[in-house]
């Protein structure tokens, strides 16, 4: 019976890259030492300071404003923007983020019906309910699930550091028929479409985004002039889950010519990436010219450890820096607040595998070594620490972040262990 959720992908048959990394002369691997298991949320402060106040706006050009190049299926052009409240007179690096595969419509009745059908083993009812949850556009009266808002916590911190941060919606892709490499390619196409919008806006204050910003909460029109305040030659991209494969595809050496004119991607981060590990052409993912970082939690119940080895294969000839971070006790969904149980959102779930007889412990699969599971705030805190360090290093030239990126310093050691493999 088909399940409308992210599934663990099989180990790629093309070979693993751990050996390649272990023999690299410039490779350093460190493991942090966690503090007391009972550390509370109030017991630590973020090493990442927000240097200024931030604001946010939203743009929405419509649920069918874009069509997938491969199939013609409709998709939205929407994004939420976090930026420094005072844009000043200079230009700010742009960071574009994209969510991965998740339900698209916040239909609580369909969610309840799907759960009931699963208990009864009713395949037809399960499929019918799933079709409503993965529709696009959503049925009249049913709100779209705001998956792009799941990284607001990260975007606010980055905006406080001086970045303009855009988290884009990909619900149309999630509801589409594209799979495998085509899914990654489609996400890359959508990323480039948004970058083109921002290039037009930032250079001349013209184009489709001009005059289209609204308040994210009230919907009231907001006038913000980003013209000459966004540096499209200093761009970072981050993708979570299936979008982790999408950003790797977008930044691959073989696809750089598809970047909009005037856009230069200086850093790419894949967060718990769900790659097509059975791909027949690794050149579609190979990154050697752009600094590349990949992250995975040791309790990720959706994406296996092959995600890290796949990324290492993609970057094995990199000359611009490659980093792998294994966050102990982190699952897959809690990186996105909309997917996490504490949000009480439709289809939110904890994907970690619990350990029988050991409350608070988790693994990524049955029989694996357990570890203390992070709370949702703790997991996001650690992700923010390392993503901020990565983007500051490569978009702002802040070499003071090197000790964090190489594992020489572990600012979140009191929270959990982070295994760091760095090829500077």
């Amino acid at each position: 019976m088909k399940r409308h959720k992210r599934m663990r992908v099989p180990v790629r048959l093309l070979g693993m890259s751990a050996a390649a990394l272990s023999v690299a002369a410039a490779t350093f691997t460190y493991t942090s030492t966690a503090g007391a298991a009972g550390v509370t949320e109030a017991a630590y402060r973020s090493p990442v300071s927000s240097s200024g106040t931030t604001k946010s706006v939203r743009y929405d050009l419509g649920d069918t404003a874009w069509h997938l190049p491969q199939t013609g299926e409709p998709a939205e052009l929407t994004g939420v923007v976090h930026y420094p409240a005072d844009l000043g007179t200079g230009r700010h690096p742009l960071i574009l983020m994209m969510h991965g595969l998740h339900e698209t419509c916040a239909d609580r009745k369909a969610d309840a019906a799907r759960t009931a059908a699963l208990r009864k083993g009713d395949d037809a009812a399960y499929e019918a309910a799933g079709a409503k949850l993965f529709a696009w556009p959503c049925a009249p009266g049913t709100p779209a699930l705001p998956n792009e808002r799941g990284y607001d916590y990260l975007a606010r911190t980055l905006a406080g550091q001086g970045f303009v941060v855009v988290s884009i919606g990909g619900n149309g892709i999630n509801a589409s028929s594209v799979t495998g490499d085509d899914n990654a390619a489609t996400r890359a196409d959508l990323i480039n479409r948004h970058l083109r919008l921002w290039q037009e806006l930032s250079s001349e204050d013209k184009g489709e985004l001009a005059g289209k910003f609204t308040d994210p909460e009230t919907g009231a029109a907001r006038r913000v002039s980003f013209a000459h305040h966004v540096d499209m030659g200093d761009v970072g991209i981050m993708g979570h889950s299936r979008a982790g494969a999408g950003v790797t595809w977008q930044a691959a050496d073989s696809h750089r010519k598809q970047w909009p004119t005037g856009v230069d991607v200086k850093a790419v981060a894949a967060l718990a990436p769900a790659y097509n590990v059975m791909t027949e052409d690794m050149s579609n993912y190979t990154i050697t010219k752009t600094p590349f970082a990949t992250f995975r939690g040791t309790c990720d119940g959706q994406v296996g450890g092959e995600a890290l080895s796949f990324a290492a294969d993609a970057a094995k000839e990199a000359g611009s820096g490659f980093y792998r971070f294994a966050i102990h006790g982190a699952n897959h969904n809690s990186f996105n607040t909309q997917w996490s149980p504490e949000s009480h959102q439709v289809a939110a779930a904890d994907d970690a595998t619990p350990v029988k007889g050991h409350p608070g412990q988790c693994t990524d699969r049955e029989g694996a070594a357990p570890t203390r599971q992070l709370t949702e705030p703790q997991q996001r805190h650690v992700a923010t620490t390392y993503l901020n360090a990565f983007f500051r290093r490569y978009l702002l030239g802040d070499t003071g972040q090197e000790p964090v990126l190489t594992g020489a310093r572990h600012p979140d050691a009191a929270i959990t262990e982070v295994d760091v493999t760095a090829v500077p």
Side-chain angles (χ1 to χ4, degrees):
M1 182 168 64
K2 183 180 178 182
R3 298 287 187 265
H4 289 284
K5 65 179 183 179
R6 290 171 300 282
M7 302 299 291
R8 182 183 303 283
V9 286
V11 175
R12 191 163 59 91
L13 301 180
L14 299 180
M16 311 301 273
S17 63
L21 278 180
S22 66
V23 299
T27 300
F28 308 94
T29 302
Y30 301 84
T31 301
S32 66
T33 302
V39 64
T40 64
E41 305 295 335
Y44 60 86
R45 292 183 179 274
S46 174
V48 179
S49 62
S50 180
S51 59
T53 58
T54 66
K55 293 183 178 180
S56 64
V57 291
R58 182 175 182 267
Y59 61 93
D60 187 351
L61 304 185
D63 291 343
T64 61
W66 187 68
H67 290 80
L68 279 60
Q70 292 88 342
T71 65
E73 293 168 283
E76 72 274 35
L77 282 177
T78 186
V80 58
V81 188
H82 288 80
Y83 59 98
D86 182 5
L87 289 170
T89 58
R91 294 181 181 269
H92 301 260
L94 177 75
I95 297 175
L96 189 144
M97 305 190 295
M98 186 181 191
H99 65 83
L101 176 62
H102 195 69
E103 283 77 354
T104 59
C105 301
D107 188 330
R108 294 193 179 277
K109 289 184 178 180
D111 193 26
R114 185 176 63 175
T115 300
L118 181 61
R119 292 196 187 103
K120 296 177 182 178
D122 188 336
D123 286 12
Y126 186 95
E127 292 291 340
K132 294 180 179 179
L133 291 165
F134 278 90
W136 194 258
C138 298
T142 300
L145 210 157
N147 291 307
E148 72 278 3
R149 297 298 303 272
Y151 313 105
D152 282 356
Y153 69 95
L154 174 61
R156 279 191 294 268
T157 296
L158 292 171
Q161 300 289 299
F163 300 104
V164 172
V165 187
V166 183
S167 180
I168 66 174
N171 280 340
I173 296 176
N174 287 354
S176 75
S177 60
V178 293
T179 60
D181 285 346
D182 285 343
N183 192 280
T186 300
R187 292 180 187 277
D189 287 336
L190 183 56
I191 290 169
N192 286 329
R193 181 73 175 87
H194 280 268
L195 290 175
R196 190 171 297 111
L197 291 174
W198 278 91
Q199 172 67 343
E200 294 172 352
L201 182 71
S202 64
S203 62
E204 300 178 1
D205 201 18
K206 295 180 180 179
E208 296 174 75
L209 292 186
K212 297 296 177 63
F213 294 107
T214 61
D215 185 286
E217 310 304 331
T218 68
R222 291 272 297 275
R223 173 60 184 170
V224 184
S225 179
F226 288 104
H228 312 298
H229 287 305
V230 182
D231 189 349
M232 300 304 296
D234 197 14
V235 174
I237 54 174
M238 187 280 282
H240 178 203
S241 194
R242 292 288 175 89
V247 299
T248 309
W249 184 289
Q250 193 271 350
D253 296 356
S254 59
H255 301 140
R256 290 168 66 95
K257 292 182 179 179
Q258 297 174 19
W259 298 354
T261 301
V263 171
D264 192 0
V265 176
K266 298 288 185 62
V268 55
L271 183 62
Y275 290 112
N276 173 26
V277 294
M278 303 301 292
T279 186
E280 296 181 358
D281 187 357
M282 274 299 291
S283 69
N284 284 319
Y285 299 94
T286 300
I287 299 175
T288 67
K289 300 178 181 179
T290 306
F292 179 28
T294 185
F295 304 75
R296 179 184 178 269
T298 62
C299 292
D300 191 320
Q302 301 292 340
V303 173
E306 66 275 1
L308 295 181
S309 58
F310 184 100
D313 278 344
K316 64 183 178 182
E317 297 179 2
S320 300
F322 172 62
Y323 307 87
R324 294 191 302 178
F325 303 94
I327 304 173
H328 289 235
N331 67 5
H332 190 87
N333 284 353
S334 290
F335 291 120
N336 186 306
T337 61
Q338 297 294 318
W339 303 359
S340 309
E342 289 181 8
S343 72
H344 303 292
Q345 181 60 273
V346 170
D350 177 4
D351 58 279
T353 299
V355 180
K356 186 176 181 180
H358 297 276
Q361 300 283 305
C362 65
T363 66
D364 58 354
R365 63 192 185 280
E366 291 185 6
T371 188
R372 180 178 61 84
Q373 183 166 1
L374 298 178
T375 65
E376 292 182 22
Q378 286 176 330
Q379 179 167 329
R380 293 170 199 142
H381 174 97
V382 176
T384 298
T385 294
Y386 285 90
L387 283 164
N388 181 74
F390 178 66
F391 285 125
R392 283 191 61 87
R393 169 63 184 88
Y394 288 104
L395 299 184
L396 297 180
D398 182 1
T399 58
Q401 302 300 322
E402 288 283 3
V404 176
L405 296 177
T406 61
R409 183 168 71 89
H410 290 276
D412 291 336
I415 303 172
T416 193
E417 297 177 10
V418 179
D419 299 336
V420 180
T421 301
V423 185

